[in-house]
Amino acid sequence: MSKQKFNLGDEAAENTVALTAMMGLAREDLLGAVALMMREVTQKPATTTKHLKALGEDVVRILKNESDLAPSPKDKRFLDITFKYNPIYRMGMQYYLAVQKNVGTWLADLELDELERARANFVSQMIIDSISPTNSLIGNPAAIKRAYESGGMSLLKGLQNAYRDLIENGGQVSQVDKRPFKVGENLAISEGSVVYKTEMMELIQYVPSEEHVHAIPFLIIPPQINKAYVNDLSPDKSIVRFLGTMGITTFLVSWRNPQVEHRDWGLAHYVDELIKATDVILDITKSKKVNVSGACSGGITTATFLSKLASLGDTRVNAVTLMVNVLDPQRSDSEVGALVSEHGIELARQRSAKKGILEGDALGRMFAWMRPNDLVWNYVINNYLMGQDPPPFDVLFWNNDTTNLPAKLHSDYLDMYPKQPFANPGKVEFAGHLVDLTKVTQDLFVIAGVTDHITPWKACYRTTQLVGSKNIEFILSHSGHIQALLNPPGNPKSKFYRKEGKLPPSSDEWMAGAKEVAGSWWPFWGEWLKARSGPLKAAPKQMGNKAYPPGDPAPGRYAFNE
């Protein structure tokens, strides 16, 4: 894999589909932002004229070769040396940067409220990103050089890639070369069996890799967005395999990819399924307790499940892990959050209710256009202008293996913003009960990522203040969203931050007292789990039991949309 392809894959892996993409970013609101900007142009001509004059002055300096406009060191679009030494390309780049700069100062000068400004900035940046000279063949010197060096074959290959995307990828530019990967053959290959199956889920038990295992089993609760096999992606990135080496009997829920007829599946139904799943696990293992983990939107399901058990006085869950998960989202947490409005939320709710599902492909497309430079234009340049295949990256293969969301579950998730059920204990009915995490007292392990903009780490930290747990561990991994989850030992660059003792109320206070620890957080988590998994016993010789015999081999049929 070339360095360029690796960087493409690495960047896109930081931008995996998550809950933020479904939180009511309505196209009507974005079109409204365009109308708002046009209104400001007509109603406040003096402001617009001032900034057009500034743009004109920048253009004069560019033409006289006196401009000092230069791209940000983080902007990779203009790395080709031609932009530095060729006067035509340099002027083209500087003109684009001048437009970008002056549109930004113009928007900052307008009298807008916080929501209007966020939307105007978002829409204007999307438009400006689309007109970058590097997105066209004539404006991209690297693509022209490649076309010359390849005798035009790169352009032919680019057309082939574009045609394949049009026919096979719904017209969306491909982020990954899917051909090298096959689920069950080189992805999701840990040995295990489906031991329980319903219309909504498959419960997989994995074969232990040690002769002795701890008495308390472990259940992984994945997001309903994307497939569960991210937890067993490849042998070197498998959480399932790692837990096996720690002597942990591991189970995994694999959610079915819902269709229109499943439109009424809501969060309450998913919680009921988890109660059934843990009943089965306790029956198979003869344990009275089970440890659980949930990641991203699966963490919302996990937290709701724990609250429901607490309301029933059910103590079956022993210890909990929440990964890259936000339970009380706030508009200030992220760029996307700043765009959310009640109007947008209701429109999103109405659309999925009308269709019966929120389609996975539509969700992925929406998320891609929230970060177009990273998830659209990078690939337009790589795949079409340069004539290269997208990277064969397992994380991106999984990320593009999208699933639908039932309309009811989508509606429940949308309620997270206006109702704030987890931040208002005992006041909000959610999934069939009054949610109250202060009654959740199990030991808790929370993991977040430093560079995670999908579930920002400071938002993840707030979970530590919502629960009634007395023993809470918060770990901050030096990575992004998916890398914080898939962070196996062996990477010499891995590190994480931890603070001993009682956690302070604010994330800033925590960071002030946190210490850097070299290596992956997985071994530390593994020892934390082992200490809460009971004594060792002989590993089972077969999966399931008489009541729940082993069925289809892992990763089950629902991993294939069956």
Side-chain angles (χ1 to χ4, degrees), residues 16 31 38 57 67 74 81 163 180 233 239 246 268 281-282 294 315 376 394 397 422 509 525-526:
T16 49
L31 291 174
M38 294 300 99
E57 292 170 351
S67 173
K74 296 181 180 180
I81 198 170
Y163 178 77
L233 193 61
I239 294 175
M246 302 299 289
I281 293 170
L282 298 179
T315 60
V376 178
D394 50 11
F397 176 90
F422 299 108
E509 289 179 78
W525 175 55

Side-chain angles (χ1 to χ4, degrees), residues 188-193 204-208 232 240-241 543 553-554:
I189 61 173
S190 290
E191 188 179 358
S193 299
I204 301 169
Q205 181 182 6
Y206 287 92
V207 174
D232 185 37
V240 164
R241 189 164 297 209
M543 302 296 94

Side-chain angles (χ1 to χ4, degrees), residues 7 71-84 93 134 141-142:
N7 287 340
S72 164
K74 296 181 180 180
D75 191 339
K76 300 177 182 179
R77 294 173 295 178
F78 302 105
L79 289 179
D80 191 282
I81 198 170
T82 306
F83 287 110
K84 184 176 181 180
M93 174 191 70
T134 54

